[in-house]
């Protein structure tokens, strides 16, 4: 199956965001990835509801919203109302993850859980059957353009086995340091969705990079 590609707009040109969204609309991308950061869960602040609301007005791809925030339960409904199709919460930010996943689904969005590089895949053993997607961080969350963490390959293999053993159709999304080389290896290990920020937006022709990732 061809890769699914989710360009992260964290690396987009915010002086011309509409132009970058149009590029994504015309590209082979499958989702638009939004990195929401609160400056508490991660040491950076990015953007929030107003950006999602405005992009939703012109977006022709589902919005894949990655919440790098504490206490995400408070913001599930506002982000779904703003236009999110997929909501990813961090395992490390949820005291009652099963309840949070049910809350996301109750608003009609796809439920996804993200694991930081240090968090073992095994923690999802008892909830994998409830998830539409798992996002594995291949960098420490908070910034684009970081170096890919090699241990991610091992985690993809483990997660792929866990999902297959559970007869689940949960997708595996990878986020951070994705390029042609890491992307190809990740897909070979069983990943489904590649998030790419700097690799896409630092390129001369971002649309070509997206197509290249699709055809890995
Ligand atoms: C980092 C974000 C990633 C990041 C990816 O916290 O979750 O989505 O934007 O950036 P690149 O692809 O530049 O590593
Ligand atoms: Zn992300």
């Amino acid at each position: 199956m061809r890769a699914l590609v989710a360009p992260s707009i964290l690396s987009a040109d915010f002086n011309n965001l509409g132009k970058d969204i149009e590029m994504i609309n015309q590209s082979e991308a499958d989702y638009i990835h939004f990195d929401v950061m609160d400056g508490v869960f991660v040491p950076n602040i990015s953007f929030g509801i107003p950006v999602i609301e405005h992009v939703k007005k012109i977006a022709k791809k589902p919005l894949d919203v990655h919440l790098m925030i504490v206490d995400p339960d408070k913001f599930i409904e506002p982000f779904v109302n703003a236009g999110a199709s997929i909501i990813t919460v961090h395992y490390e930010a949820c005291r009652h993850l099963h309840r949070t996943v049910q809350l996301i689904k109750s608003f009609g969005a796809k439920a996804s859980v993200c694991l930081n590089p240090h968090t073992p895949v095994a923690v999802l053993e008892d909830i994998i059957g409830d998830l539409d997607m798992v996002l594995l961080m291949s960098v420490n969350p908070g910034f684009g353009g970081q170096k890919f963490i090699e241990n991610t390959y091992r985690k993809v293999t483990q997660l792929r086995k866990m999902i297959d053993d559970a007869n689940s159709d949960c997708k595996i999304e990878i986020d951070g340091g994705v390029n042609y080389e890491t992307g190809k290896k990740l897909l070979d290990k069983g990943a489904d969705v590649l998030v790419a920020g700097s690799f896409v937006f630092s390129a001369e022709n971002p649309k070509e990079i997206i197509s290249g990732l699709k055809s890995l």
Side-chain angles (χ1 to χ4, degrees), residues 130-147:
D130 297 289
L131 301 181
D132 297 301
M133 187 160 80
V134 173
L135 172 50
L136 295 181
M137 289 308 300
S138 34
V139 295
N140 286 301
F143 304 91
Q146 299 179 87
K147 188 175 173 327

Side-chain angles (χ1 to χ4, degrees), residues 8 33-35 66 68 135 137 175 195:
S8 161
H33 188 83
F34 294 82
D35 289 305
H66 177 190
M68 287 165 271
L135 172 50
M137 289 308 300
D175 191 1
V195 175

Side-chain angles (χ1 to χ4, degrees), residues 13 29 44 73 98 100 106 147 151 160 178 181 188 196 207:
D13 172 5
N44 194 5
D73 284 14
H98 184 275
T100 300
S106 73
K147 188 175 173 327
N151 187 53
R160 174 46 60 203
V178 170
E181 187 203 344
D188 291 347
K207 246 173 86 176

Side-chain angles (χ1 to χ4, degrees), residues 78-128:
F79 273 103
V80 174
N81 291 343
S85 295
I86 304 169
I87 295 267
T88 297
V89 295
H90 268 260
Y91 166 82
E92 302 88 355
C94 296
R95 209 177 297 278
H96 300 286
L97 182 61
H98 184 275
R99 179 181 291 137
T100 300
V101 166
Q102 299 312 313
L103 184 66
I104 295 169
K105 291 179 161 185
S106 73
F107 290 115
K110 296 267 187 222
S112 170
V113 174
C114 186
L115 301 182
N116 279 335
H118 70 285
T119 305
V121 162
V123 301
L124 297 177
E125 191 83 48
D126 292 300
I127 197 165
I128 196 73

Side-chain angles (χ1 to χ4, degrees), residues 1-6 30 136 148 152-153 156-157 160 164 171-174 178-195 209-216:
M1 184 189 95
R2 274 158 61 89
L4 298 172
V5 178
D30 300 275
L136 295 181
F148 183 85
T152 310
Y153 296 124
V156 173
T157 303
R160 174 46 60 203
D164 295 347
K171 286 190 176 58
I172 301 176
E173 185 176 47
I174 311 293
V178 170
N179 54 38
Y180 286 157
E181 187 203 344
T182 57
K184 176 79 182 105
K185 275 175 83 173
L186 289 163
L187 294 169
D188 291 347
K189 302 267 183 199
D192 303 294
V193 188
L194 300 176
V195 175
I209 296 293
I210 294 170
S211 300
L213 289 168
K214 278 292 281 183
S215 46
L216 283 174

